[in-house]
Amino acid sequence: MKLKQVLIATAFALASSAAMAFHCPADMKKIDEALAKNPNLTAAQMTDVKKMRADGETLHKAGKHQESVDTLAKAMKVLGI
C-alpha cells in the first residue's frame, strides 16, 4: 500500500514538472511577440524585460522550470501581458 502511494506521488511530481516545462516556451513566445510590437517602455524597463526573458530561457534549459516561470512572469507583468 505504501509503495502505491509513493508511486502515485512520484507520478504527480513528474507530471507537474513536465507541465511547467511546456509552460516556459509559451511564456517566452508571448514575451517575444510583445517585444516585436515595440512596447512603450523606458530604456531601463526594456533592458530588464530582455534580461528576464534571457534568464527565463537559461533557467528553463537548466531544468529549473518553476524559477523560469516566475522570472518570465515578472517580464510579462512589466509588458502588461
Side-chain angles (χ1 to χ4, degrees):
M1 184 68 154
K2 221 169 184 36
L3 178 60
K4 185 177 179 180
Q5 290 174 337
V6 169
L7 290 174
I8 290 171
T10 302
F12 280 125
L14 290 174
S16 66
S17 177
M20 285 295 183
F22 292 118
H23 196 270
C24 304
D27 288 349
M28 287 185 274
K29 183 178 178 183
K30 289 177 188 176
I31 292 167
D32 292 342
E33 289 170 353
L35 288 173
K37 295 177 183 176
N38 296 318
N40 188 17
L41 300 176
T42 66
Q45 287 174 317
M46 186 65 79
T47 300
D48 289 345
V49 167
K50 288 181 179 180
K51 183 179 181 333
M52 287 184 275
R53 163 57 175 90
D55 291 348
E57 184 170 2
T58 300
L59 290 165
H60 169 71
K61 288 180 179 178
K64 298 178 180 180
H65 300 291
Q66 185 59 56
E67 291 175 56
S68 174
V69 168
D70 293 344
T71 301
L72 295 169
K74 290 176 188 175
M76 291 191 306
K77 183 176 180 180
V78 173
L79 289 165
I81 51 175

